[in-house]
Amino acid sequence: MTVRHELAVAALAPADFVPFGDVIEAAGEGIPINEGMAHRFHDLAAIDAGTGGGRLAISVFRARPWPRPIQVRVMERHPLGSQAFVPMSERPFAVVVAPPGPAPKPEDLRAFVTNGRQGVHYRPGVWHHPLLVLDQPADVLVLDRVGPGVDLDVVSFLAHGIFLTL
Amino acid sequence: MTVRHELAVAALAPADFVPFGDVIEAAGEGIPINEGMAHRFHDLAAIDAGTGGGRLAISVFRARPWPRPIQVRVMERHPLGSQAFVPMSERPFAVVVAPPGPAPKPEDLRAFVTNGRQGVHYRPGVWHHPLLVLDQPADVLVLDRVGPGVDLDVVSFLAHGIFLTL
């Protein structure tokens, strides 16, 4: 018999995401620019891509909706660089994270869902699940490090039987 | 009497944008990732933000639709860093550009409209109009340089009476 654990999914709030990185969104006041035709929400994520001779790459992921129920089968981290995901389609996605450090335990996991207008930035070493697009295909802008060295660690959570409550 | 010139607006095609920078979009083959749940369209724009002690900032512009008819009143450039605009709402925007070099003449201008799923990257020094969101408000992700030095030149086109054919 497989044990099944539910992982609660919370609406993504910037204060809850501080241990993991930044929420990239137009929140708060903003600075009027372009003769008032736009507001700039400035410098929202300190991307770190330069470690070990790396540089920032700008890519697009075209993602299919993840099959339900969503099981947390793997968590991964990029020790050398941070990674940001910004939706290009106003479509929510789910985020599963754990703080940097040794391989996370099930109780270290936190799950969030974006509101469709929020991106996320994971600091280097933050454990995260691969991109979890929901319901409809979506294009997502991805900013991450390219460069020398192995910048990926993966741990299996398959045996833990953890499912998102979505 | 004001002279009025029409500037034709073309659908944005990557080949036409080569003199100015890059189109950021999921076009072509892509690389399957995440067990086939997504395709990665990799390293689409060589952002240049490090000149003169600069660094890359990640910001969001929340923009109102530009009033019609759209007149090209100013063009600007950032000599020290490049700048990218990626839509977060699948909404088209217009792009008016001219090649790097001395202040452009009216005949140097080119105008494009995106398909809603395309972003653009202007190389350093490329002349461009401020963000021209069409029809509906939109959030747009902006990547550009922050750092020491004056990184903005502006020229007025007001007297030329140039309007986009949109």
Side-chain angles (χ1 to χ4, degrees):
Chain A
M1 193 188 81
T2 304
V3 178
R4 184 181 170 114
H5 299 284
E6 304 285 343
L7 179 60
V9 179
L12 180 62
D16 297 334
F17 206 68
V18 169
F20 313 108
D22 305 287
V23 177
I24 299 169
E25 64 177 330
E29 287 293 308
I31 306 158
I33 59 169
N34 296 352
E35 305 178 34
M37 293 303 294
H39 281 69
R40 179 178 178 125
F41 300 82
H42 180 59
D43 203 8
L44 303 171
I47 289 274
D48 175 357
T51 298
R55 65 172 177 84
L56 185 76
I58 296 170
S59 305
V60 175
F61 287 7
R62 175 160 286 174
R64 293 193 290 152
W66 208 268
R68 308 289 182 102
I70 297 176
Q71 181 177 4
V72 179
R73 292 186 287 125
V74 294
M75 293 289 284
E76 61 182 47
R77 68 171 172 183
H78 308 295
L80 299 181
S82 57
Q83 194 174 34
F85 294 84
V86 179
M88 296 173 65
S89 319
E90 282 199 7
R91 290 178 191 152
F93 60 99
V95 171
V96 184
V97 284
K105 299 185 178 65
E107 58 267 31
D108 298 328
L109 302 186
R110 297 287 303 278
F112 302 98
V113 62
T114 68
N115 65 12
R117 300 165 75 103
Q118 295 171 313
V120 294
H121 166 231
Y122 305 135
R123 280 198 296 272
V126 166
W127 294 96
H128 57 276
H129 192 281
L131 179 63
L132 289 169
V133 160
L134 309 172
D135 303 323
Q136 295 180 83
D139 286 356
V140 178
L141 190 79
V142 177
L143 308 175
D144 58 10
R145 177 190 179 276
V146 293
V150 176
D151 192 20
L152 177 66
D153 295 319
V154 179
V155 293
S156 176
F157 271 73
L158 189 57
H160 292 296
I162 298 170
F163 290 81
L164 301 192
T165 56
L166 268 171
Chain B
M1 194 187 79
T2 304
V3 178
R4 184 183 171 113
H5 299 284
E6 304 286 342
L7 178 60
V9 179
L12 180 61
D16 296 335
F17 207 67
V18 169
F20 313 109
D22 305 287
V23 177
I24 299 169
E25 63 178 329
E29 286 295 307
I31 305 158
I33 59 169
N34 296 352
E35 304 178 32
M37 293 303 293
H39 281 69
R40 179 176 178 126
F41 299 82
H42 181 60
D43 203 7
L44 303 172
I47 289 274
D48 176 358
T51 298
R55 66 172 176 83
L56 185 78
I58 296 171
S59 305
V60 174
F61 286 8
R62 175 159 285 174
R64 293 194 289 151
W66 208 268
R68 308 288 183 102
I70 296 176
Q71 181 177 4
V72 179
R73 291 186 287 124
V74 294
M75 294 288 284
E76 61 183 46
R77 68 171 173 182
H78 308 296
L80 299 181
S82 58
Q83 194 174 34
F85 295 84
V86 178
M88 296 173 67
S89 319
E90 282 199 7
R91 290 179 191 151
F93 60 98
V95 171
V96 184
V97 283
K105 300 185 177 66
E107 58 267 31
D108 297 328
L109 302 186
R110 297 287 303 276
F112 302 98
V113 63
T114 68
N115 64 11
R117 300 166 76 104
Q118 295 171 314
V120 294
H121 165 231
Y122 305 134
R123 280 198 298 271
V126 166
W127 293 97
H128 56 276
H129 191 279
L131 179 63
L132 289 170
V133 160
L134 308 173
D135 303 323
Q136 295 182 82
D139 286 355
V140 177
L141 189 79
V142 178
L143 309 176
D144 58 9
R145 177 189 179 276
V146 293
V150 176
D151 192 20
L152 177 66
D153 296 316
V154 180
V155 292
S156 177
F157 271 73
L158 190 57
H160 293 296
I162 298 171
F163 289 82
L164 301 192
T165 56
L166 270 171

